[in-house]
Amino acid sequence: MLIGELARRTGTTTRALRFYEAQGLLRAQRSANGYREYDEDDLRLVTEIQALQTVGFTLDDTRPFVACLRAGHESGDSCVDSIEVYRRKLAEVDAFLGRLGAVRAELHGKLAEALTRQDESGHADPCVVAPSPSEEH
Amino acid sequence: MLIGELARRTGTTTRALRFYEAQGLLRAQRSANGYREYDEDDLRLVTEIQALQTVGFTLDDTRPFVACLRAGHESGDSCVDSIEVYRRKLAEVDAFLGRLGAVRAELHGKLAEALTRQDESGHADPCVVAPSPSEEH
DNA sequence: GTTTGCCTTGACGCTCACGTCAACGTTTAC
DNA sequence: GTAAACGTTGACGTGAGCGTCAAGGCAAAC
């Protein structure tokens, strides 16, 4: 199939697919006129990349999974490098969850505090906010 | 004080301070030779901006807080616009926490699954990973 | 033969918060 | 007089993952 069809079937764009190729994630056969030719295995690669991206993987993180599929495994996470990326990502997510939880608590406290002061003083003043540079005429 | 001293006292750089000014967040008096002159109120503004940035606010999000301080309030969150930003940010953080929790669960499941398959088959294959484009010689 | 719709490469644009020069003026110390 | 340590504006670079032209070639329908 050509690049347009692969893009449609994977719900992405031709630009993204060419970008994946430039990153070394995707390789395509070329037909006589120079058009990229893809098969079902390539489609599988793209869907794997997309699935991983939705869980916050960078394109670089997806390399071992792509390599694993290309090596003939039926799933992208059958190789040690992929599993290692899983572990690293899980650790990253946990760290992020921790920081975000702390941020949430602090934000919640600040809001409650501000509302308390507002009740005490009986008012909340409006302020004239400086415009962002793009909004200046 | 001059821009260098303000940068040192706030633990940031002169470049950042000039950037804040370009964004309309900071204003400076100019002395006869064109140098920027800051006072303690400006220092307060910068520390407020920094405090908000550490909880994930964009510079644009800090505008109401800066405006509030500039209007003479003793704290940046004494104005309705600031409180509104608090609410919005809290909602954003909550949404993010939700998604990140789901991602964590999915990631955890995938890892467990991959490890199970690994145990069943008794091996995990190494795969040759394609190099990133920057690593090519 | 011309329109339409595919494909090609190449290059610049976008976000965000600055970093990093470059080229130059000012102030103070020696 | 000159060197060091300040300051000024302006312009381009960074990272991630593409979007958006531009300028052109190829293929099938009319």
Side-chain angles (χ1 to χ4, degrees):
Chain A
M1 83 192 90
L2 299 185
I3 195 170
E5 186 180 347
L6 180 58
R8 270 192 308 278
R9 291 180 61 182
T10 55
T12 183
T13 66
T14 61
R15 182 67 184 91
L17 296 176
R18 292 195 190 96
F19 183 72
Y20 296 161
E21 181 172 319
Q23 301 304 303
L25 288 172
L26 216 52
R27 289 197 245 288
Q29 301 296 105
R30 296 296 184 122
S31 50
N33 55 17
Y35 287 15
R36 290 172 177 83
E37 275 284 353
Y38 299 97
D39 56 22
E40 299 299 318
D41 288 344
D42 295 318
L43 191 145
R44 178 81 171 82
L45 287 188
V46 174
T47 57
E48 179 86 7
I49 292 171
Q50 291 177 323
L52 293 174
Q53 275 194 305
T54 64
V55 275
F57 283 43
T58 67
L59 286 182
D60 208 57
D61 291 329
T62 69
R63 288 180 190 286
F65 296 81
V66 170
C68 198
L69 283 176
R70 196 172 281 148
H73 295 277
E74 75 279 9
S75 79
D77 53 13
S78 300
C79 300
V80 286
D81 287 351
S82 308
I83 291 176
E84 183 53 36
V85 174
Y86 271 161
R87 283 197 224 274
R88 181 167 54 75
K89 278 291 164 180
L90 191 57
E92 284 178 20
V93 167
D94 281 340
F96 209 106
L97 274 171
R99 279 179 304 181
L100 206 55
V103 160
R104 202 214 107 93
E106 185 173 344
L107 207 46
H108 187 76
K110 291 236 191 197
L111 175 58
E113 201 180 316
L115 290 177
T116 301
R117 278 204 315 277
Q118 184 178 331
D119 286 350
E120 284 170 357
S121 67
H123 62 87
D125 294 342
C127 287
V128 181
V129 178
S132 67
S134 60
E135 292 172 330
E136 314 216 43
H137 58 74
Chain B
M1 83 190 89
L2 300 184
I3 196 170
E5 185 179 347
L6 180 58
R8 270 191 308 277
R9 291 180 61 184
T10 54
T12 183
T13 66
T14 61
R15 181 68 184 90
L17 296 176
R18 293 198 190 95
F19 183 72
Y20 295 161
E21 181 172 319
Q23 300 305 303
L25 289 172
L26 216 52
R27 288 196 245 289
Q29 300 298 103
R30 296 296 183 122
S31 49
N33 55 15
Y35 286 14
R36 289 173 177 82
E37 275 284 356
Y38 299 97
D39 58 21
E40 300 297 319
D41 288 344
D42 294 320
L43 191 144
R44 177 83 171 84
L45 287 189
V46 175
T47 57
E48 178 85 7
I49 291 171
Q50 292 176 324
L52 293 173
Q53 275 194 305
T54 64
V55 274
F57 282 44
T58 68
L59 285 183
D60 207 57
D61 290 329
T62 70
R63 289 181 189 286
F65 296 81
V66 170
C68 197
L69 283 176
R70 195 172 281 147
H73 295 277
E74 74 280 9
S75 79
D77 53 13
S78 300
C79 300
V80 286
D81 287 352
S82 308
I83 292 175
E84 183 54 35
V85 174
Y86 271 161
R87 283 197 223 275
R88 181 167 53 74
K89 279 291 164 181
L90 192 57
E92 284 179 19
V93 167
D94 282 340
F96 210 105
L97 275 171
R99 279 179 304 179
L100 205 56
V103 161
R104 202 213 107 91
E106 186 173 345
L107 206 46
H108 186 76
K110 290 237 191 197
L111 175 57
E113 201 180 316
L115 291 176
T116 300
R117 277 203 317 276
Q118 184 177 332
D119 285 350
E120 283 171 357
S121 66
H123 62 87
D125 294 342
C127 288
V128 180
V129 178
S132 68
S134 59
E135 292 172 326
E136 313 217 43
H137 59 77

